[in-house]
Amino acid sequence: MLHNGEEILEAKKHIIEVSRELHEIGLLVRTWGNISCRVDEKSFLITPSGIRYEDLVPEMIVQVNIDDLSYEGGVKPSSELKVHAACYKVRSDVEFIVHTHQVYASCAGTLGQKTVFTYFEDEDLTIPVAAYALPGTDKLAENVEKVLKKYTECNGFIMANHGTICLGKNSKEAIYEAEKMEVACNNFLIDVCKTDMHHGVEFGFNSHLEDRNIVYDVSDTPKRVKEIHEAIYAKRPDVKYIIHNKSEAVMTVSRRANHMRPLLDDFAQLIGYSIKVPSNEHGKDGHSFHNIKKNANVVFCLNDGAYCLGPTEDEAMAVAIVLDKGCIAHTAVMRHGEGHYLSLLECFKMNRHYRKTYSKLADAVN
């Protein structure tokens, strides 16, 4: 328990330290996920909404009332404050919580299973999966509360199609749960789904606009690729950066799929709700085969990865990172034989909310 203003300030600084540690090891990216710690029986501290972990200062860490979720000040707390509050209510022993969108655990949570049976080192693990609900909703908090009450000794949970929630008596325990779960879920994907894929962005031919002129990162970019870049910039005046992602997972989807439906929340938010993949060299009309859409920030190229779009380099990179994770999930579901896809309505709501609200929070800070 924290007893005075100095202790609360130190706790805020510690949350920032933990967030940057998790960011460095890849379990937290950009503004995704959130971290909290208990102040007392009535309140907790939590990271803000829409602000990158690199930009956090103690004044941005918000103190929230556990019962009514009220808070003071002009900084908006994380949209998942309801989930954190539910955890603190159910588990009086929990003092620290980490919520991540880590890759392999998130992908394992797209398979439609209530539990993931796997292992970590020599230990068998059962990882409960809370049923899906839209992020930030009462329903999601209720779903998490149900699995907390059912699995009272467990400290690591998956939120279906979303991410993880990891609990501890301190930050060290919560971080350990996140790290253990990621290794265990990767083991599960390899053994059960036959999906052994490294997560990351592998650059192909990138470009950006300078004074309305296309500048290519690679001087000898092929003509066929330049034509794709030109078509994207012509049809999408909002796009200023294009990152050509040729990671193993993205290349696999570009070779074998013809359509991607979102399996993960962040995919629907950043990329879109229906992504087509070319299945032949010339398309139905014999000419154009690249599906450039207003509300889709990815353009696949047959057997050559995908072009990830954004108004800034940071946004384009975010799309590339999320696409790679989405392609790992897509491949795992295909090889597993079943999965839980997000509905069109759910995807539309999240995409619209992100474009109109969430992304602007970060812009307001920068």
Side-chain angles (χ1 to χ4, degrees), residues 90-332:
V90 174
R91 293 283 298 273
S92 59
D93 60 314
V94 169
E95 299 287 329
F96 206 95
I97 298 173
V98 171
H99 162 47
T100 77
H101 291 194
Q102 59 197 69
V103 175
Y104 300 118
S106 298
C107 291
T110 67
L111 301 172
Q113 301 186 167
K114 293 183 178 180
T115 50
V116 172
F117 298 106
T118 181
Y119 62 93
F120 175 75
E121 295 179 346
D122 295 328
E123 175 189 2
D124 290 333
L125 287 181
T126 298
I127 303 175
V129 181
Y132 180 76
L134 285 169
T137 60
D138 292 337
K139 183 62 176 176
L140 179 58
E142 291 170 7
N143 292 347
V144 170
E145 184 178 340
K146 286 179 182 178
V147 295
L148 285 169
K149 290 179 176 178
K150 183 176 181 179
Y151 297 90
T152 56
E153 301 298 318
C154 183
N155 287 330
F157 303 84
I158 295 173
M159 293 188 285
N161 305 86
H162 187 147
T164 72
I165 195 82
C166 302
L167 318 176
K169 294 179 181 178
N170 51 50
S171 61
K172 185 177 180 180
E173 288 187 4
I175 292 170
Y176 175 74
E177 285 297 327
E179 293 178 319
K180 179 174 72 173
M181 196 183 308
E182 192 69 343
V183 173
C185 287
N186 191 29
N187 291 338
F188 175 84
L189 293 177
I190 292 171
D191 292 348
V192 177
C193 302
K194 311 304 178 186
T195 305
D196 184 5
M197 291 182 168
H198 172 73
H199 170 61
V201 178
E202 185 172 335
F203 296 133
F205 299 102
N206 302 344
S207 76
H208 65 277
L209 290 182
E210 286 186 12
D211 298 325
R212 299 183 181 180
N213 295 315
I214 304 175
V215 178
Y216 295 97
D217 290 6
V218 178
S219 58
D220 59 345
T221 299
K223 181 181 178 181
R224 64 170 182 83
V225 173
K226 288 184 176 181
E227 290 175 351
I228 298 171
H229 285 250
E230 291 166 2
I232 292 171
Y233 287 124
K235 290 188 177 182
R236 290 286 302 272
D238 59 311
V239 171
K240 300 294 184 285
Y241 284 82
I242 298 174
I243 291 177
H244 184 198
N245 189 356
K246 298 187 67 173
S247 69
E248 179 186 3
V250 176
M251 286 294 293
T252 298
V253 171
S254 75
R255 293 185 184 112
R256 300 178 182 177
N258 54 34
H259 184 226
M260 281 193 74
R261 293 167 54 198
L263 286 157
L264 292 161
D265 281 345
D266 48 18
F267 188 104
Q269 290 169 346
L270 270 73
I271 294 175
Y273 32 84
S274 179
I275 308 298
K276 293 184 179 179
V277 184
S279 58
N280 65 75
E281 289 288 352
H282 301 293
K284 292 182 179 179
D285 59 6
H287 298 285
S288 174
F289 59 95
H290 299 293
N291 194 41
I292 304 170
K293 297 171 63 178
K294 180 181 178 181
N295 293 327
N297 289 323
V298 161
V299 178
F300 271 97
C301 183
L302 178 63
N303 196 29
D304 197 26
Y307 298 89
C308 304
L309 322 179
T312 66
E313 185 175 15
D314 185 55
E315 284 287 329
M317 179 58 73
V319 171
I321 292 169
V322 169
L323 175 65
D324 184 73
K325 181 170 66 170
C327 288
I328 293 174
H330 178 87
T331 304

